[in-house]
Amino acid sequence: MDALKKDAEARLSSFKREADRTRGAILDKVFHKDTGGDVLWGLLHIKIVKCQGLRNLDRLGIKNLITKRKMDKSDPYVMAFIGDYRLLKTRYIDNDLDPVFDEEFYCPVAHVATGIQFKVKDKDVVKDECLGKYFLPVAELLRTVDDTDLESDPNLSPGDLKRVGVHKVVELDQKSRHGTLEFFVEFIPTRMLHKTMEVPGIYFDETKGNEVKLYMNADDDGSSPVIKYGGPNDDEKTWTPPRLWRDIYDKVCEAKQFIYVAGWSVDTDQYLLRGKELDEAKANGKYSPKIGELLRDKAAEGVVVNLMQWDDQSSNFLFPVSNISICLLCPPYDIILSIHSFSKGMMGTYDEKTRNFFKDTQVNSRLFAMAGGETNTMLEGTTKKMSFTHHQKYIIMDTPKKNGEGRELFAFVGGIDLTEGRWDNQKHPLFRSLMGTHKGDTYTKCFNVGIDCGPRQPWHDIHSAVRGPEAIDLAMAFEERWTKQGNAGELVSRGRLGLDDSRGLENAGGWCAQLSRSIDSRVNSFDPTVKGRMSATKRYEDIAEWTSVTEKHATSAKRFETAAGTELTFSRCLDSKKGRLVDNSIHMTNVHYIRRAKHFIYIESQYFMGSSFMWTNESDAKCGNMLAAEIALKICEKIAADEPFAVYILLPFWMEGIPGAGATQGLLYYQRLTIEAMYLQVEEALKARMANSADYGLKVSDYLNFYCLGNRETTVGSEVTGTPETDDEVRLSKTRRHQIYIHSKMMIVDDEVALIGTANVNQRSMDGCRDSEIMMTSWQPEHLASKESIAKGDVHAFRLHTWASITNQMDEKFRNPSDPECVKAVNDIANKNWETYLGSDTVDMTSHLLPFPLEFKDGKIGPRTGLKDGNFPDTNAKVMGKKSLVFPEIFLT
């Protein structure tokens, strides 16, 4: 028996060594590039301490000539880069050759790097000048575990990275007369970062004792295949889909104290109810289901109704009503080329219409614009106000407790605006509802078609709601914005109402939640106590045992390294840019959960752009959010470990707008570069796996797939009343098809956590200083994923419901998304639907999932097979996109 045991242990040890060898070979190929550089995958914690003895470049500068200040000195600030990617930028300090910054930064990284370039610059009137540089080689931050580490910790594997820190005082440009820079940098590899459900180091903490609802579309008619889940046989519960706009109507009607509404767009003429429910409410309801009338009547009862909407500068009298002006000044989106009224605005947000509707009512309706930077010229500031938006969408109100004893908070947050075109369900009609449920709400932006001819633009979206302590944080988020840009005196006192005590609002719903945002101090009034919270932490000097090192051109240098999983203590919960406080926690949250992923990731997003540092072209574009790189590296990590893993990403066919227009083509171009970079990274790992194991025939589509949705209808039941006149109307009246527009902003990881909000996967949403965004992350602590299995709670059921709705079937393979059989099943459904969607026969499509119109073959990305001339169906627009010569990438990405 002992001999058999020893033999088994020897076999296991041999197997582990071989697995480690294969894993190491693959990771070596992925993380150490032949072109030079290594992949830094983890977190850089950087502190810029101070500079001393800097040169004075302002002595004879333009600023002295203008201000006539003879003793003016340089106005230094510090930046740090990996290649073209900027990691940080400090505030500038006026008139100081010995500036003390003491600014800390936490920078997630997944970059190929040769090192970190520090630049000290002088802020100037015309052009900032360089005061000096220092380059920190990446080799100083990368240390692998040694034999001693492996012996002391059996969980370590050869090649695992250590946590490494350096603290230096260095001569800039290796010249003492240029002054010195003091800094601290530590690199923490992903394996040593927090793996908790709560995201550490961000503004809002986790809350417990919540009840959460997850919504698909503004309405859900219950016609999707039934979802059974829970228990050993997956049959203990049945998912009952909630109905968003019905719930919003009911909750607003119940409010007695206050209703707060934050929106990108609010159309006062839209109805929250449709069909028989609308008729019933009109006939017998106490309150109108029309949005404007409902809020007006609640305010007239004495309920405090505060509504804040993005101020679209194109809808006011200062904006020239000209299509040329629209295209030149507002590049983020393309609109159908027709003259827009002032009230609707270039973006169709109805902001002026909303303002005018509530003008003589008791509703506090405010339009808030984004803000330019303090150092921007008037033109730059105006351009930023017009180009970047308040994109948050959430509603908070008081509501009766379920037991009827007292009041509590209820909040909605997600991607669905209270405006035209958003009401839809899983049937996504094209022509059959033009005179029915969509009469007066026939919305289309993808083709030049009229409301009487159709097709309407079907809409797929995701939203969520919460009852409990998390609603306090949503109320705080509203109050902070209103206080900064509005009138704090118009806010209710939640303390007086007993609605500010998290313990008093806890319930038995069993959900945890955590709020995150993209916003900065130009448009948000952060809690003033946050600065105290940001400083009351351990100093970096106390982290570990330091070893002094000798370095030429450094007056002081020391380092530490450890393989032990020491805790990272965040010294701040907000980022900083140019001295402004920045909440970019949506980006941090997405990165955190991608790194936690064990089995699969499912994403729905209106845009998918990022990680420009890994693009084959335009790598210097300011689109550095990490999500694409993080997903690709997570897949590579799983390929190296020979563990099943799958990523499913649902996007629109093309972004809203005429597909051949310059801005739309530019958006498609940057999105294609993002997708291509991911494909190439994963393919590299697959080639390394096949070269170092017996595996063969592996494809990128075994792990990573992109999809979209589409619908077709026959003429049966059509409610078209007009005669086709435009080219698009004539063409679409024959093919009778249209993409189902993906407007969702959701990520589900391992069916244990749902990230739902207003942020797309692009730099505008993730940056923190561009569009303002909000997101709620929710999970059930009793239903978490393990190494062996995904979670099987309500997030699991909701994801199954979504998949069953877009495919019109509940395939049992959907229960295990990381299984290659599930990947194959989903792709088979999409490919079959692709043939139907492109086919010459017009049919009623009940299954809507389609493959994305790009495909990856033989190491290259190109238009999907079946597309004529590489164009989108029914258009002359290229699916590959084209770089715009007019619209800057900062506005498109």
Side-chain angles (χ1 to χ4, degrees):
M1 187 64 69
D2 288 343
L4 290 174
K5 183 178 179 181
K6 288 182 179 179
D7 182 62
E9 289 175 348
R11 289 173 179 270
L12 182 62
S13 177
S14 175
F15 177 80
K16 186 177 185 302
R17 285 196 302 272
E18 180 60 23
D20 284 344
R21 186 198 66 79
T22 302
R23 173 179 174 271
I26 297 169
L27 292 179
D28 186 68
K29 181 65 176 176
V30 171
F31 284 85
H32 305 288
K33 302 300 182 182
D34 296 336
T35 55
D38 300 289
V39 174
L40 276 175
W41 189 24
L43 185 75
L44 285 174
H45 172 204
I46 303 175
K47 181 169 184 177
I48 305 299
V49 182
K50 62 184 178 182
C51 295
Q52 286 187 309
L54 296 176
R55 293 176 292 161
N56 184 10
L57 300 185
D58 282 350
R59 184 177 294 111
L60 298 176
I62 287 181
K63 191 194 300 187
N64 271 336
L65 296 176
I66 295 173
T67 63
K68 298 181 179 180
R69 290 167 58 187
K70 296 181 179 180
M71 297 305 294
D72 192 34
K73 300 175 183 177
S74 295
D75 311 307
Y77 63 93
V78 181
M79 296 189 292
F81 296 83
I82 293 179
D84 293 318
Y85 179 81
R86 190 174 72 192
L87 293 166
L88 62 89
K89 184 176 184 179
T90 70
R91 72 192 188 282
Y92 78 90
I93 297 179
D94 187 52
N95 202 37
D96 197 337
L97 301 183
D98 300 303
V100 177
F101 296 98
D102 276 334
E103 293 188 41
E104 286 191 71
F105 303 86
Y106 296 88
C107 310
V109 285
H111 299 68
V112 176
T114 56
I116 300 173
Q117 179 77 66
F118 293 91
K119 294 181 180 180
V120 182
K121 303 195 79 173
D122 172 28
K123 181 68 180 175
D124 220 327
V125 176
V126 178
K127 182 180 179 181
D128 296 356
E129 298 177 277
C130 186
L131 292 167
K133 301 177 183 179
Y134 174 76
F135 185 77
L136 177 69
V138 71
E140 292 195 33
L141 298 173
L142 292 177
R143 292 287 190 275
T144 57
V145 297
D146 53 29
D147 291 341
T148 303
D149 298 318
L150 293 170
E151 290 174 4
S152 61
D153 187 350
N155 295 316
L156 294 174
S157 298
D160 282 348
L161 294 174
K162 294 182 178 183
R163 178 177 180 176
V164 177
V166 296
H167 174 263
K168 295 185 178 185
V169 180
V170 297
E171 295 174 351
L172 294 170
D173 303 323
Q174 300 182 357
K175 297 176 181 178
S176 59
R177 66 179 183 276
H178 284 192
T180 62
L181 167 67
E182 181 179 355
F183 67 87
F184 161 75
V185 178
E186 67 168 328
F187 171 65
I188 306 102
T190 51
R191 72 171 188 87
M192 300 179 74
L193 291 171
H194 294 265
K195 297 298 191 293
T196 56
M197 286 302 297
E198 180 181 25
V199 182
I202 66 174
Y203 190 79
F204 290 104
D205 295 329
E206 162 196 14
T207 64
K208 301 177 180 179
N210 298 289
E211 180 184 275
V212 172
K213 285 187 174 184
L214 306 174
Y215 299 92
M216 183 189 71
N217 298 320
D219 194 56
D220 194 315
D221 66 5
S223 64
S224 302
V226 174
I227 302 300
K228 296 283 187 179
Y229 70 108
N233 299 316
D234 296 320
D235 61 359
E236 283 188 357
K237 300 179 182 178
T238 301
W239 177 257
T240 303
R243 301 172 59 212
L244 176 63
W245 279 21
R246 173 80 241 190
D247 285 356
I248 291 176
Y249 174 71
D250 291 341
K251 290 300 179 184
V252 170
C253 290
E254 292 175 352
K256 297 296 184 184
Q257 301 295 335
F258 74 95
I259 301 165
Y260 292 164
V261 180
W264 176 80
S265 171
V266 176
D267 182 3
T268 54
D269 284 334
Q270 292 305 315
Y271 287 97
L272 292 171
L273 305 180
R274 306 292 167 105
K276 292 181 179 179
E277 289 184 333
L278 175 58
D279 295 338
E280 174 66 22
K282 283 182 175 181
N284 304 309
K286 181 179 179 181
Y287 300 102
S288 168
K290 186 180 282 191
I291 292 169
E293 295 175 357
L294 175 61
L295 296 177
R296 180 198 63 195
D297 294 346
K298 293 302 293 186
E301 288 183 348
V303 177
V304 175
V305 179
N306 290 343
L307 185 155
M308 59 182 177
Q309 183 177 345
W310 173 52
D311 187 0
D312 180 357
Q313 303 289 293
S314 71
S315 63
N316 64 46
F317 70 94
L318 293 175
F319 189 85
V321 183
S322 152
N323 289 312
I324 295 176
S325 298
I326 288 172
C327 290
L328 288 178
L329 292 175
C330 296
Y333 309 85
D334 258 288
I335 303 301
I336 293 174
L337 296 181
S338 60
I339 301 297
H340 287 275
S341 68
F342 286 136
S343 62
K344 191 173 183 180
M346 189 273 308
M347 297 299 296
T349 63
Y350 295 103
D351 59 331
E352 293 299 327
K353 175 184 172 183
T354 303
R355 187 210 301 264
N356 291 331
F357 182 89
F358 291 120
K359 184 176 181 180
D360 297 319
T361 73
Q362 292 171 273
V363 173
N364 300 316
S365 177
R366 304 287 181 263
L367 303 184
F368 296 150
M370 291 302 290
E374 299 86 344
T375 58
N376 290 153
T377 64
M378 183 179 294
L379 178 60
E380 289 172 333
T382 301
T383 301
K384 288 185 178 180
K385 284 183 180 181
M386 297 182 68
S387 301
F388 299 130
T389 78
H390 279 305
H391 199 235
Q392 298 178 341
K393 321 169 209 299
Y394 57 107
I395 308 171
I396 315 104
M397 69 281 288
D398 68 292
T399 190
K401 285 189 175 181
K402 281 194 169 183
N403 61 11
E405 299 177 1
R407 311 290 291 179
E408 62 181 354
L409 295 177
F410 198 97
F412 299 89
V413 58
I416 304 179
D417 296 281
L418 297 178
T419 194
E420 64 174 348
R422 272 49 171 183
W423 192 94
D424 211 343
N425 57 36
Q426 52 266 64
K427 289 189 173 66
H428 300 296
L430 304 180
F431 302 95
R432 291 175 178 157
S433 61
L434 300 182
M435 301 302 295
T437 53
H438 286 105
K439 185 176 182 180
D441 186 22
T442 305
Y443 174 94
T444 178
K445 293 288 180 67
C446 294
F447 291 98
N448 186 12
V449 298
I451 60 175
D452 55 348
C453 287
R456 63 174 287 272
Q457 180 179 313
W459 200 269
H460 175 86
D461 220 328
I462 300 293
H463 220 79
S464 64
V466 63
R467 180 177 71 90
E470 186 67 9
I472 294 178
D473 287 350
L474 279 156
M476 287 175 57
F478 186 96
E479 292 159 356
E480 289 182 358
R481 270 190 61 193
W482 193 275
T483 298
K484 182 70 174 185
Q485 293 192 283
N487 179 2
E490 294 170 333
L491 298 166
V492 300
S493 171
R494 288 186 293 104
R496 179 180 58 81
L497 299 173
L499 297 175
D500 64 344
D501 179 12
S502 60
R503 291 172 297 179
L505 295 180
E506 287 183 359
N507 58 60
W511 286 79
C512 294
Q514 189 173 19
L515 198 64
S516 53
R517 292 177 299 185
S518 292
I519 201 163
D520 69 30
S521 54
R522 290 173 297 179
V523 293
N524 195 80
S525 180
F526 293 108
D527 181 352
T529 66
V530 72
K531 290 186 177 180
R533 300 193 342 245
M534 286 162 57
S535 61
T537 55
K538 288 194 303 183
R539 300 179 306 160
Y540 63 87
E541 294 94 333
D542 302 327
I543 291 173
E545 294 290 332
W546 291 86
T547 302
S548 295
V549 294
T550 301
E551 179 180 335
K552 191 176 181 181
H553 303 295
T555 59
S556 173
K558 56 183 179 180
R559 61 178 292 109
F560 77 84
E561 59 183 68
T562 178
T566 53
E567 181 181 354
L568 171 64
T569 302
F570 287 83
S571 66
R572 63 186 306 149
C573 58
L574 291 171
D575 201 358
S576 176
K577 181 181 179 182
K578 302 179 182 178
R580 293 193 304 263
L581 292 177
V582 179
D583 188 346
N584 62 355
S585 52
I586 289 180
H587 183 244
M588 299 292 286
T589 299
N590 276 272
V591 170
H592 177 84
Y593 286 107
I594 292 169
R595 290 177 173 180
R596 283 192 88 256
K598 303 176 183 69
H599 304 284
F600 85 99
I601 297 169
Y602 175 55
I603 292 174
E604 294 186 7
S605 182
Q606 185 183 5
Y607 302 91
F608 195 84
M609 296 175 239
S611 306
S612 54
F613 48 84
M614 61 187 287
W615 294 354
T616 54
N617 296 308
E618 319 290 343
S619 62
D620 60 345
K622 294 179 180 179
C623 185
N625 75 80
M626 305 277 296
L627 273 63
E630 290 287 344
I631 292 169
L633 287 176
K634 170 59 71 170
I635 295 172
C636 293
E637 181 184 55
K638 292 294 185 178
I639 291 170
D642 196 21
E643 296 176 4
F645 193 81
V647 177
Y648 305 81
I649 301 176
L650 185 64
L651 306 173
F653 237 115
W654 67 84
M655 300 77 169
E656 199 171 47
I658 301 300
T664 312
Q665 284 288 296
L667 290 163
L668 290 165
Y669 173 71
Y670 293 118
Q671 182 166 274
R672 185 247 297 175
L673 290 176
T674 303
I675 294 172
E676 178 187 43
M678 296 175 70
Y679 280 148
L680 291 172
Q681 181 84 288
V682 174
E683 184 185 52
E684 185 177 45
L686 290 173
K687 286 181 176 179
R689 169 132 215 113
M690 289 185 285
N692 289 277
S693 70
D695 294 336
Y696 63 94
L698 299 177
K699 306 184 298 297
V700 173
S701 59
D702 296 335
Y703 295 86
L704 173 64
N705 287 279
F706 293 83
Y707 306 93
C708 54
L709 299 180
N711 195 17
R712 296 190 81 171
E713 281 182 358
T714 62
T715 57
V716 176
S718 173
E719 295 183 354
V720 171
T721 59
T723 300
E725 295 181 357
T726 70
D727 290 343
D728 285 344
E729 288 173 346
V730 172
R731 188 181 303 113
L732 294 171
S733 69
K734 296 176 181 177
T735 62
R736 305 188 68 78
R737 62 190 170 200
H738 197 293
Q739 69 160 315
I740 298 171
Y741 193 68
I742 306 301
H743 189 259
S744 325
K745 301 91 170 58
M746 175 180 73
M747 182 167 71
I748 289 176
V749 178
D750 293 339
D751 277 356
E752 71 176 359
V753 62
L755 289 69
I756 296 173
T758 68
N760 295 298
V761 181
N762 62 1
Q763 195 61 27
R764 293 175 65 98
S765 289
M766 297 291 161
D767 190 86
C769 297
R770 297 189 188 181
D771 291 348
S772 68
E773 308 284 6
I774 196 162
M775 181 179 76
M776 185 176 75
T777 302
S778 53
W779 66 93
Q780 294 170 294
E782 292 185 1
H783 297 283
L784 300 180
S786 65
K787 186 176 181 180
E788 293 75 28
S789 174
I790 61 174
K792 298 293 183 71
D794 286 355
V795 176
H796 173 66
F798 178 68
R799 196 263 309 164
L800 289 175
H801 173 65
T802 303
W803 283 23
S805 299
I806 62 180
T807 63
N808 197 35
Q809 59 182 283
M810 176 51 217
D811 191 320
E812 287 299 309
K813 297 185 184 71
F814 292 172
R815 296 188 184 277
N816 189 7
S818 64
D819 191 323
E821 289 300 312
C822 179
V823 177
K824 182 178 183 302
V826 172
N827 286 342
D828 286 348
I829 293 168
N831 290 331
K832 183 178 179 181
N833 290 341
W834 182 250
E835 295 178 3
T836 302
Y837 190 79
L838 296 184
S840 57
D841 295 333
T842 302
V843 299
D844 286 322
M845 290 184 67
T846 57
S847 179
H848 303 299
L849 185 69
L850 301 171
F852 197 67
L854 296 175
E855 63 184 353
F856 188 72
K857 286 184 177 180
D858 303 322
K860 295 182 179 180
I861 196 169
R864 182 164 293 278
T865 302
L867 292 174
K868 185 178 179 181
D869 299 325
N871 295 333
F872 291 107
D874 305 315
T875 79
N876 293 317
K878 300 298 181 183
V879 302
M880 295 281 282
K882 182 180 180 181
K883 183 178 180 180
S884 172
L885 300 179
V886 177
F887 307 132
E889 51 84 12
I890 191 172
F891 297 142
L892 294 176
T893 59

